[in-house]
Amino acid sequence: MSSQRENIIQRAVQEVENGTIVNLGIGMPTMIANYIPAEKNIFLHSENGLLGIGPYPGEEDVDADLINAGKETVTVKQGGSFFDNAESFAMIRGGHIDLAILGGMEVSSQGDLANWMIPGKMVKGMGGAMDIVQGAQKVVIIMTHTNKNGESKIRKACALPLTGEKVVDRLITDMAVFDFTPSGMVLREVLNGADVKTVEQYTEAPFTIDEALVDREAK
Amino acid sequence: MSSQRENIIQRAVQEVENGTIVNLGIGMPTMIANYIPAEKNIFLHSENGLLGIGPYPGEEDVDADLINAGKETVTVKQGGSFFDNAESFAMIRGGHIDLAILGGMEVSSQGDLANWMIPGKMVKGMGGAMDIVQGAQKVVIIMTHTNKNGESKIRKACALPLTGEKVVDRLITDMAVFDFTPSGMVLREVLNGADVKTVEQYTEAPFTIDEALVDREAK
Amino acid sequence: MTKVQTSFEESVARIQDGDTLIVGGFGLCGIPEKAIQALAEKGTKNLTVVSNNCGVNDWGLGLLLENKQIKKMVASYVGENKIFEEQYLSGELEVELVPQGTLAERIRAGGAGIPGFYTPTGVGTPIAEGKEHKVIGGRQCILEEAIQGDAALVKAWKGDAYGNLIYQKTARNFNPLAAAAGKFTIAEVEELVGVGELDPDFIHTPSLYVQHLLVGTSYEKRIERKTVQQA
Amino acid sequence: MTKVQTSFEESVARIQDGDTLIVGGFGLCGIPEKAIQALAEKGTKNLTVVSNNCGVNDWGLGLLLENKQIKKMVASYVGENKIFEEQYLSGELEVELVPQGTLAERIRAGGAGIPGFYTPTGVGTPIAEGKEHKVIGGRQCILEEAIQGDAALVKAWKGDAYGNLIYQKTARNFNPLAAAAGKFTIAEVEELVGVGELDPDFIHTPSLYVQHLLVGTSYEKRIERKTVQQA
């Protein structure tokens, strides 16, 4: 794993609070599970119908009937449960998931998210992402701050088709943490040696800076 | 039981076909269960969450957790199942019940049913009746032909508030059997010694007479 | 992470005057006896109670009626209760009658984040008055809205410390729906089992719907109509 | 009264050219392997298939794609299948992408007689285009309609002759929803058990949703992403 991705995951795992129900998106977010400290009792929700994802199975325990939303073989934790997809999304839509951490392609200053479709490319489908961003109590997006060309993925407005409008609560990149508040996007933290100036340079979307952060930099 | 009610039940039980799923309303319809021949394999649906009502329990098997929609203690038949009320009415609304037999206060010539509310009297509620008349594949109403004052309960239009509009498929009284078709209400059978003339006399609603019945009376 | 509580009194203290409360049970079958009793003792007032029925004079939700704790009742059938009749006729008690299937579906919708749905149930009846009508797939329907509770009281057969629940026979009825639709769900069980003892394939209410779990003792489980086979 | 059939070939012959077919499964997990194979052999054409995914090139619904039996696919994610991509890009295959939760709810609604419902899912996205919008309880929603199938194919773990079914682990997924939403539901099981052997408190699909029940043998249960713990 690149150190960039590793850094993002390390910061993202701090979002996971003890005793909560968490849904992790496919890809980088799934990897967060490996970093959750053992003393935190978390129930991971998998939208294909499982509450309480356990670790990957040993070779002898691989079960084709027990997979996560990424179609990987998994196990079930003690106290977990299985259910159908209507129930699974009732949990999501009904606000019973405390935290969802998903990947992103673009995030706008008003908290719009695009993460499912690139026009002109083969459309694979949105899976459960549109439901999750509407339903989870807190939606955290993790993504690299810029694309391969060094351009900001945090845009004034998303150019890509949306997954959800005004749905992002927090954005974690390799450089910064932003919150989306009624009064706009706020820079809360700078990460991994970046400073506010660098963040401003690589962020297309306008944002304000948390007072505490201003104070810290002033020191 | 009055012979009038007994006659209605005897005719109504003939509606119950082997291998079907049947919902019986509270009161007189519930009693139909006792008349279903043992060789017919029927699954009785109880809207409080039971498919496969068995006979009343023996004294030692009475279970407060096992009741029918009339709140009577019952048993469960082999191959039966329990479910919650959303599932129970999914079965009803979704068209998975083959036949419902309910009591009636008034039925109109277009197949409207009133059976839940008398203005000026204390309203007890409709329970599941409004769902059942909309959802069951076939709705059969059983009631006495006339009220205590000898007035027709089969009306041009119902005077009482409706349970459902154009929902009755068949009406069985102590005197006659009517079907409700796109071309109106049709008298199919006269029962218990009544003749067409008597039925006409005691029926406010206009109806046509089944050809086969005309032929029979002509003989 | 355990949701086990020991005091019904303290648990129901979460419920505030004026709250909307969803209560499981069908007739007196599967009702949360202990939580209702504690709430009657607590005396919380001006409640909107959503439940298929309203108990009988001296049991179940009838206890809250007797105390005049209920401002509004949302139910499908309320015919078993004299006090109900008195309070309703005197205008003290507001009543919303909802067809049983629509009530179940509205509560399910509340738990499932479905703000509204169309149903043919009630079309052409007094229930449809003032509601939006729409023809979908050739069928005339009315719009019904979700019901959510500030709290829900449910009764299960067994539960574990995380809040996983299973129900027994027809005592399931509205309980799983109420559990999901309550923002704060208090579940009472006859038996607390160890975490892992409930088979994950056969859990009726997954843990995340439950906030408090209490063990009740000496359940009365009153029977409204005891019917037995003639020997 | 028994619903047990012995020939997958005869059962799938109920499905007509042009039918809408709801198929259980998530990825390759819990798919009705045997009925799909029989349908591929039968060659029924112009199908509208509703399923969360569309199999892989040489397995599951991919077999029907390969045969060009599918006219339209309704799914939430179709990224695992090269043939799909080809047919889609060439315009041979019509595709309706539906958010997974909306898809599950639309199928549930089809089985439950709810013609339409409002959901916040998809608001502000391409999914919402052309759909009726309504604010309910302060939330902007779109109207989604029920999906019913002329037939449904589902895979369960165990079943009895009446058609009661139970599923195992995450192989449950869309199967109970599909079973209820199919006008003619063909269920395949790994094991046929005696009537009365399934506990009535723990039946996932009650008998009335199933029309045909068949026992499949030597299930392949292919795994898409075998992941194991590093020792």
Side-chain angles (χ1 to χ4, degrees):
Chain A
M1 186 159 44
S2 77
S3 71
Q4 217 178 24
R5 286 160 71 86
E6 170 98 26
N7 286 339
I8 293 172
I9 290 171
Q10 294 279 12
R11 177 59 191 81
V13 75
Q14 296 171 34
E15 300 295 313
V16 177
E17 287 175 34
N18 188 31
T20 56
I21 310 288
V22 180
N23 183 293
L24 300 174
I26 295 166
M28 184 160 63
T30 298
M31 289 189 276
I32 293 171
N34 304 324
Y35 293 78
I36 298 173
E39 66 271 20
K40 284 193 183 170
N41 193 357
I42 301 305
F43 267 74
L44 294 174
H45 175 268
S46 191
E47 61 266 30
N48 57 316
L50 163 58
L51 180 63
I53 310 174
Y56 292 132
E59 186 69 43
E60 67 290 359
D61 293 323
V62 167
D63 183 346
D65 285 342
L66 180 39
I67 64 172
N68 66 13
K71 286 142 193 164
E72 299 171 330
T73 48
V74 294
T75 56
V76 60
K77 187 173 158 160
Q78 277 235 331
S81 52
F82 299 107
F83 32 82
D84 67 44
N85 265 248
E87 181 76 46
S88 185
F89 282 88
M91 293 174 178
I92 289 170
R93 229 189 288 98
H96 307 282
I97 307 296
D98 298 307
L99 171 67
I101 306 182
L102 303 177
M105 293 172 179
E106 286 182 346
V107 168
S108 83
S109 55
Q110 65 165 358
D112 300 343
L113 170 69
N115 76 348
W116 73 285
M117 180 186 176
I118 301 174
K121 280 208 183 178
M122 175 62 195
V123 180
K124 294 186 169 186
M126 70 294 286
M130 287 187 183
D131 310 277
I132 293 170
V133 295
Q134 288 293 344
Q137 292 294 338
K138 185 175 182 181
V139 174
V140 173
I141 301 301
I142 58 174
M143 65 181 191
T144 54
H145 207 98
T146 58
N147 66 18
K148 284 173 204 159
N149 306 321
E151 295 157 347
S152 174
K153 288 161 74 173
I154 312 166
R155 311 285 303 268
K156 280 178 194 154
C158 293
L160 297 173
L162 295 189
T163 305
E165 208 174 44
K166 298 181 188 165
V167 292
V168 183
D169 293 299
R170 174 163 279 195
L171 168 64
I172 299 173
T173 75
D174 45 303
M175 231 179 253
V177 177
F178 296 97
D179 281 349
F180 297 82
T181 75
S183 55
M185 182 170 141
V186 182
L187 177 65
R188 294 279 189 222
E189 298 172 30
V190 290
L191 302 174
N192 309 314
D195 56 17
V196 171
K197 230 177 211 150
T198 327
V199 172
E200 280 174 332
Q201 186 184 338
Y202 286 103
T203 307
E204 182 196 299
F207 59 88
T208 57
I209 302 161
D210 189 298
E211 284 299 329
L213 191 59
V214 175
D215 291 352
R216 245 192 331 271
E217 292 231 340
K219 275 172 200 165
Chain B
M1 185 159 45
S2 77
S3 70
Q4 217 180 25
R5 286 161 72 84
E6 170 97 26
N7 286 338
I8 293 172
I9 290 171
Q10 294 279 11
R11 176 60 191 80
V13 75
Q14 296 171 33
E15 300 295 313
V16 177
E17 287 174 35
N18 189 31
T20 56
I21 310 288
V22 180
N23 183 293
L24 301 174
I26 293 165
M28 185 162 61
T30 298
M31 290 189 277
I32 294 171
N34 304 323
Y35 293 78
I36 299 173
E39 66 270 19
K40 284 192 182 170
N41 193 356
I42 302 304
F43 267 74
L44 294 175
H45 175 267
S46 191
E47 61 266 31
N48 57 317
L50 163 58
L51 181 63
I53 308 175
Y56 292 132
E59 188 68 44
E60 66 290 358
D61 293 325
V62 167
D63 183 346
D65 285 344
L66 179 40
I67 64 171
N68 66 14
K71 286 140 193 165
E72 299 172 329
T73 48
V74 293
T75 56
V76 60
K77 188 175 155 155
Q78 278 236 330
S81 52
F82 299 107
F83 31 81
D84 68 44
N85 265 248
E87 181 75 46
S88 186
F89 282 87
M91 293 174 178
I92 289 170
R93 229 189 289 96
H96 306 283
I97 307 296
D98 298 307
L99 171 67
I101 305 182
L102 303 179
M105 293 173 180
E106 287 182 346
V107 169
S108 83
S109 55
Q110 66 165 357
D112 298 345
L113 170 69
N115 76 348
W116 73 285
M117 180 185 175
I118 301 175
K121 280 207 182 179
M122 174 64 194
V123 180
K124 294 186 169 186
M126 69 295 284
M130 288 188 183
D131 310 278
I132 293 171
V133 296
Q134 289 292 345
Q137 291 294 337
K138 185 175 182 181
V139 174
V140 173
I141 300 302
I142 60 176
M143 66 180 190
T144 55
H145 207 97
T146 58
N147 67 19
K148 285 172 203 158
N149 306 321
E151 294 157 348
S152 173
K153 288 161 73 174
I154 311 166
R155 312 285 304 267
K156 280 177 194 152
C158 293
L160 297 172
L162 297 188
T163 305
E165 209 175 43
K166 297 182 190 164
V167 292
V168 183
D169 293 299
R170 173 163 280 194
L171 168 64
I172 298 173
T173 75
D174 46 302
M175 230 180 254
V177 177
F178 295 98
D179 281 348
F180 296 83
T181 74
S183 54
M185 182 170 141
V186 183
L187 177 65
R188 294 281 188 219
E189 298 172 30
V190 289
L191 302 174
N192 309 315
D195 57 17
V196 170
K197 233 180 209 147
T198 329
V199 172
E200 279 174 333
Q201 187 184 337
Y202 287 101
T203 307
E204 181 195 300
F207 57 87
T208 58
I209 302 162
D210 189 299
E211 284 300 329
L213 190 59
V214 175
D215 292 351
R216 250 199 319 277
E217 291 232 340
K219 275 175 199 164
Chain C
M1 189 66 185
T2 179
K3 292 167 181 167
V4 177
Q5 304 288 318
T6 50
S7 161
F8 278 96
E9 195 187 331
E10 283 171 31
S11 278
V12 302
R14 291 285 192 137
I15 300 162
Q16 306 292 313
D17 287 352
D19 271 2
T20 293
L21 196 61
I22 308 181
V23 183
F26 176 88
L28 298 180
C29 180
I31 60 170
E33 290 187 13
K34 308 301 169 193
I36 292 172
Q37 281 178 301
L39 193 60
E41 276 160 37
K42 179 83 186 158
T44 316
K45 291 223 176 323
N46 286 318
L47 298 170
T48 293
V49 175
V50 181
S51 192
N52 192 58
N53 315 92
C54 198
V56 295
N57 279 357
D58 62 343
W59 194 237
L61 291 172
L63 298 174
L64 304 186
L65 271 183
E66 208 173 8
N67 282 350
K68 307 200 172 182
Q69 294 175 261
I70 304 180
K71 184 186 67 179
K72 180 179 177 182
M73 187 72 210
V74 181
S76 89
Y77 189 81
V78 290
E80 326 278 12
N81 197 313
K82 274 283 162 205
I83 299 177
F84 188 97
E85 193 167 338
E86 288 163 24
Q87 292 187 10
Y88 176 59
L89 293 176
S90 75
E92 272 176 281
L93 180 66
E94 201 183 325
V95 177
E96 180 182 349
L97 287 172
V98 182
Q100 191 178 340
T102 296
L103 183 63
E105 191 68 11
R106 287 178 64 191
I107 299 171
R108 179 199 175 265
I114 297 293
F117 59 87
Y118 287 101
T119 174
T121 298
V123 168
T125 79
I127 294 306
E129 281 164 25
K131 286 185 182 148
E132 190 191 310
H133 285 61
K134 185 187 283 287
V135 176
I136 307 183
R139 199 107 196 250
Q140 180 67 266
C141 295
I142 53 176
L143 177 63
E144 296 281 0
E145 294 192 10
I147 297 176
Q148 266 202 314
D150 297 301
L153 305 180
V154 306
K155 156 72 172 56
W157 179 30
K158 296 182 183 181
D160 68 24
Y162 289 169
N164 290 300
L165 304 177
I166 61 171
Y167 307 90
Q168 185 162 240
K169 299 175 185 154
T170 57
R172 192 179 329 176
N173 55 61
F174 280 85
N175 281 299
L177 312 174
K183 287 177 206 157
F184 193 88
T185 292
I186 300 170
E188 55 183 274
V189 299
E190 294 179 51
E191 192 185 333
L192 178 67
V193 302
V195 167
E197 280 185 51
L198 298 176
D199 185 334
D201 269 330
F202 302 108
I203 284 171
H204 295 136
T205 291
S207 59
L208 84 185
Y209 292 125
V210 174
Q211 277 67 49
H212 274 185
L213 186 123
L214 299 104
V215 182
T217 49
S218 25
Y219 275 91
E220 280 200 30
K221 294 195 184 182
R222 287 202 202 166
I223 292 174
E224 279 178 87
R225 300 210 181 119
K226 186 174 148 183
T227 39
V228 295
Q229 222 165 0
Q230 263 95 52
Chain D
M1 191 65 185
T2 178
K3 292 167 181 168
V4 177
Q5 305 288 318
T6 50
S7 161
F8 279 96
E9 195 187 330
E10 283 171 30
S11 278
V12 301
R14 291 284 192 137
I15 300 161
Q16 307 291 312
D17 287 354
D19 272 1
T20 293
L21 197 61
I22 307 181
V23 182
F26 176 87
L28 299 180
C29 180
I31 60 171
E33 290 187 12
K34 307 301 169 192
I36 291 171
Q37 281 177 301
L39 192 60
E41 276 159 37
K42 179 83 186 158
T44 315
K45 290 224 179 322
N46 287 316
L47 298 170
T48 293
V49 175
V50 181
S51 193
N52 192 58
N53 314 92
C54 199
V56 294
N57 280 357
D58 62 343
W59 194 237
L61 291 171
L63 297 174
L64 304 186
L65 271 183
E66 207 173 7
N67 281 351
K68 306 200 171 180
Q69 294 175 260
I70 304 180
K71 183 185 67 178
K72 180 180 175 181
M73 188 72 209
V74 181
S76 89
Y77 189 81
V78 290
E80 325 279 11
N81 195 314
K82 272 284 162 205
I83 299 177
F84 188 98
E85 192 167 337
E86 287 163 25
Q87 292 186 12
Y88 176 60
L89 293 177
S90 74
E92 273 176 280
L93 181 66
E94 203 182 324
V95 178
E96 181 183 349
L97 287 173
V98 181
Q100 191 177 339
T102 297
L103 183 63
E105 191 67 12
R106 287 178 65 190
I107 299 172
R108 180 200 174 264
I114 297 292
F117 59 88
Y118 288 100
T119 175
T121 299
V123 168
T125 79
I127 294 305
E129 282 165 24
K131 287 185 184 150
E132 190 192 309
H133 285 61
K134 183 186 284 288
V135 175
I136 307 184
R139 199 108 195 251
Q140 181 68 264
C141 296
I142 53 175
L143 177 63
E144 294 282 359
E145 295 193 9
I147 297 176
Q148 266 202 313
D150 298 300
L153 304 180
V154 306
K155 156 73 172 55
W157 179 30
K158 297 181 183 181
D160 68 23
Y162 289 168
N164 290 302
L165 303 177
I166 61 171
Y167 307 90
Q168 184 161 240
K169 298 176 185 154
T170 57
R172 192 179 329 176
N173 54 61
F174 281 85
N175 281 299
L177 313 173
K183 287 177 205 155
F184 194 88
T185 293
I186 300 169
E188 55 185 275
V189 299
E190 292 179 52
E191 192 185 336
L192 178 68
V193 301
V195 167
E197 280 186 52
L198 298 176
D199 185 333
D201 269 331
F202 302 108
I203 284 171
H204 295 134
T205 290
S207 58
L208 84 185
Y209 292 125
V210 173
Q211 279 66 49
H212 275 186
L213 186 121
L214 298 105
V215 182
T217 49
S218 25
Y219 276 91
E220 279 200 29
K221 294 194 183 181
R222 286 201 200 166
I223 292 173
E224 280 177 87
R225 299 210 182 118
K226 185 173 146 183
T227 39
V228 294
Q229 222 167 0
Q230 262 96 51

